[in-house]
Amino acid sequence: MGDLTDRLAQGLPAGAVVVDPDVTAAYSRDMAGFCAAGVPAVVVFPETVEQVQHVMRVATELRVPVVPQGARTGLSGAANAVDGCVVLSLVKLNRILEIDPVNRIAVVEPGVVNAELSRTVEQLGLSYPPDPSSWESCTIGGNIGTGAGGLCCVKYGVTSEYVLGLDVVLADGRLLSTGRRTAKGVAGYDLTRLFVGSEGTLGVVVRAVLALRPAPAPQLALAAEFPSADAAGAAVCEVMARGLTPSLMELMDAVSVRAVNELGQMGLPESTQALLLVAFDGPDRVGELARVAELCRAAGATEVVPAEDQAESDLLLAARRLALPALDRLGTTMIDDVAVPRSRLAEMLNGVAAIAERHGLTIGVVSHAGDGNTHPIVIFDAEDEDQAVRAQRSFDDIMALGLELGGTITGEHGVGLLKRDWLARELGPVALELQRQLKGVFDPLGILNPGKMV
Ligand SMILES: Cc1cc2nc3c(=O)[nH]c(=O)nc-3n(C[C@H](O)[C@H](O)[C@H](O)COP(=O)(O)OP(=O)(O)OC[C@H]3O[C@@H](n4cnc5c(N)ncnc54)[C@H](O)[C@@H]3O)c2cc1C
């Protein structure tokens, strides 16, 4: 241990090597409950690429595991420490290095917070679309590590579509540059994309070239109340089948609507079984909302309320962003993240309701409906052993249901520790073996975030 910290300190600034157990404990886990977290030997805060390389060289030489971390807002245990590891926090590599409006790219360090980048490029009439609900705190490095999604993905896609190039420190300290700064480029295997969603198991991202888009107009939203998941699911399918491209299409169930009202006094309609929020940010926002309103009514909406102005629209979107914290107050929560083809969204929602009934628990569901990405949130009393067992079973049943419907066990939160056992079920033996071989190519000693994902 002394040797490890001494060696690390030789290449890092004063104060960048922390062994205080209160601090190391604080950095031992992300925001996923129910995932084991080990005790780190040390937490380090490098400020430059060279310092990250130094950390990895020392770790390789001493065969010590390294867990890269961003803001630890992850929901799969992917950033959790393992016993005796170096926690490698990237939060101090937090500079926006370049914004290039002509080539529509930004070059950033991994510790830049998502919202900070968004606000900075907005001032230049540009946007960085990936917008996880945690955008005020999560980092670009973490977003790349998890392949994060968000509310805007139905129109703009997920993080992987915006990562053009990366600088990555490999397990042995070598610096790899992948990808490009150009609008196009197909030279060689697409290693850049391989790193997106790799959960810190293949290398440490130290710089990213990100694609930007012209800033859209502010979104204008409507809210539609439905008496059933079937009716809401039918409306979602109609909107997409008619070729409309909303910038947001989110669904909240009755449990989440009530929870948001309690937390934020939002005045959302509590009589609803499913509240669909749809927004547009194009030049014909009002016309497109009117078409969606019609489609919603035809699908069985009991009430359709277009926002009258920007402030009302912003309030609806704020209500949606409040859903997770609001459900969190109802008890201990297990947040799932299962995506199905959007045409099967209603089946998924009805299936989750049946699982809740079978296990005698409350499960609130918020969905990125346009992506078929559901977040069923199992609510239970962790002190009650029987409830805890039923919660775990519900969680597993939800993933099994997602796979049965042709979906995936994780749409955006990642595998981490939480879903590691389920990855094999989704991938099958051939894909799993190849994924493990790939891990071995990048990290032959198995020191990078061991025990996560594959
Ligand atoms: C309230 C709330 C709302 C959320 N909403 C969303 C949402 O809408 N969409 C969504 O996708 N997620 C959401 N999340 C989950 C979480 O915010 C994302 O997974 C986010 O991308 C994690 O970023 P982070 O900086 O906190 O990374 P961390 O949690 O610290 O790390 C995540 C993973 O990335 C790896 N990593 C971090 N930095 C690097 C690096 N520089 N190089 C290599 N690997 C690295 C870590 O090892 C780990 O495997 C939400 C979380 C909360 C708490």
Side-chain angles (χ1 to χ4, degrees):
M1 166 99 157
D3 191 27
L4 172 65
T5 50
D6 289 349
R7 295 290 308 283
L8 288 169
Q10 281 161 18
L12 291 170
V17 178
V18 180
V19 291
D20 176 341
D22 288 341
V23 179
T24 57
Y27 282 81
S28 68
R29 56 168 59 251
D30 65 15
M31 294 187 81
F34 319 102
C35 287
V39 180
V42 56
V43 182
V44 294
F45 297 93
E47 292 171 17
T48 66
V49 175
E50 293 69 27
Q51 290 168 13
V52 175
Q53 289 183 278
H54 167 75
V55 171
M56 292 314 304
R57 282 192 200 108
V58 171
T60 287
E61 204 179 308
L62 302 181
R63 307 288 194 265
V64 177
V66 175
V67 178
Q69 276 185 358
R72 290 178 287 110
T73 66
L75 293 171
S76 73
N80 283 10
V82 296
D83 279 339
C85 74
V86 175
V87 164
L88 172 54
S89 173
L90 281 310
V91 294
K92 291 200 172 169
L93 268 88
N94 59 1
R95 290 172 305 157
I96 297 174
L97 300 170
E98 187 185 338
I99 297 172
D100 175 346
V102 174
N103 292 303
R104 291 190 185 157
I105 57 171
V107 182
V108 305
E109 293 186 326
V112 169
V113 169
N114 180 301
E116 190 202 333
L117 176 63
S118 298
R119 290 194 187 107
T120 306
V121 301
E122 206 176 281
Q123 288 163 13
L124 300 168
L126 295 164
S127 82
Y128 176 67
D131 63 341
S133 298
S134 52
W135 72 319
E136 292 286 2
S137 45
C138 65
T139 64
I140 296 297
N143 295 167
I144 293 170
T146 57
L151 304 190
C152 75
C153 300
V154 60
K155 179 168 181 182
Y156 294 102
V158 294
T159 299
S160 57
E161 280 145 81
Y162 293 86
V163 183
L164 300 180
L166 291 173
D167 283 358
V168 179
V169 174
L170 297 175
D172 59 11
R174 281 177 301 160
L175 184 63
L176 165 75
S177 283
T178 73
R180 57 195 163 88
R181 293 173 60 104
T182 50
K184 296 158 81 177
V186 291
Y189 294 122
D190 191 347
L191 296 185
T192 309
R193 197 103 178 194
L194 181 62
F195 278 101
V196 180
S198 66
E199 300 185 359
T201 61
L202 300 181
V204 183
V205 173
V206 288
R207 200 167 288 161
V209 182
L210 304 173
L212 303 174
R213 299 273 182 269
Q219 304 191 87
L220 201 61
L222 66 67
E225 257 186 85
F226 290 90
S228 67
D230 287 315
V236 169
C237 292
E238 273 302 298
V239 170
M240 299 311 285
R242 299 292 174 109
L244 290 157
T245 310
S247 51
L248 171 147
M249 187 148 58
E250 297 285 312
L251 195 61
M252 297 165 70
D253 73 345
V255 177
S256 43
V257 165
R258 273 198 295 275
V260 165
N261 276 345
E262 265 166 40
L263 178 60
Q265 268 86 53
M266 288 289 187
L268 298 174
E270 299 214 353
S271 53
T272 184
Q273 286 306 305
L275 186 72
L276 186 66
L277 305 177
V278 186
F280 288 88
D281 61 5
D284 184 27
R285 302 176 294 166
V286 175
E288 284 167 317
L289 276 187
R291 284 183 67 194
V292 168
E294 242 173 67
L295 294 174
C296 286
R297 283 193 199 96
T302 46
E303 186 94 43
V304 182
V305 187
E308 292 210 331
D309 52 29
Q310 203 56 56
E312 213 173 290
S313 188
D314 291 349
L315 205 64
L316 282 175
L317 305 187
R320 165 59 188 89
R321 284 191 190 273
L322 218 56
L324 281 189
L327 286 163
D328 254 343
R329 296 166 74 235
L330 303 182
T332 304
T333 54
M334 270 187 176
I335 304 175
D336 216 328
D337 166 43
V338 171
V340 294
R342 63 173 80 90
S343 52
R344 309 201 73 175
L345 181 64
E347 282 172 86
M348 183 70 200
L349 296 175
N350 287 329
V352 171
I355 290 168
E357 200 175 321
R358 190 160 69 240
H359 293 291
L361 291 174
T362 300
I363 304 181
V365 190
V366 289
S367 310
H368 307 303
D371 307 320
N373 189 182
T374 63
H375 292 310
I377 294 147
V378 184
I379 299 159
F380 64 104
D381 175 359
E383 305 291 305
D384 180 330
E385 220 171 283
D386 178 52
Q387 276 200 32
V389 170
R390 282 185 278 138
Q392 184 59 58
R393 288 199 182 129
S394 309
F395 194 77
D396 289 346
D397 289 354
I398 289 166
M399 280 187 283
L401 173 65
L403 290 180
E404 233 176 85
L405 294 174
T408 171
I409 55 164
T410 173
E412 58 182 16
H413 292 169
V415 174
L417 286 172
L418 192 66
K419 298 191 167 180
R420 203 172 171 224
D421 295 343
W422 281 83
L423 186 68
R425 285 177 67 164
E426 177 163 337
L427 294 183
V430 177
L432 190 67
E433 190 189 341
L434 278 169
Q435 296 223 359
R436 288 188 173 148
Q437 286 170 349
L438 273 173
K439 161 82 174 160
V441 169
F442 285 89
D443 180 20
L445 298 174
I447 60 168
L448 264 172
N449 213 0
K452 311 294 169 53
M453 198 160 81
V454 293

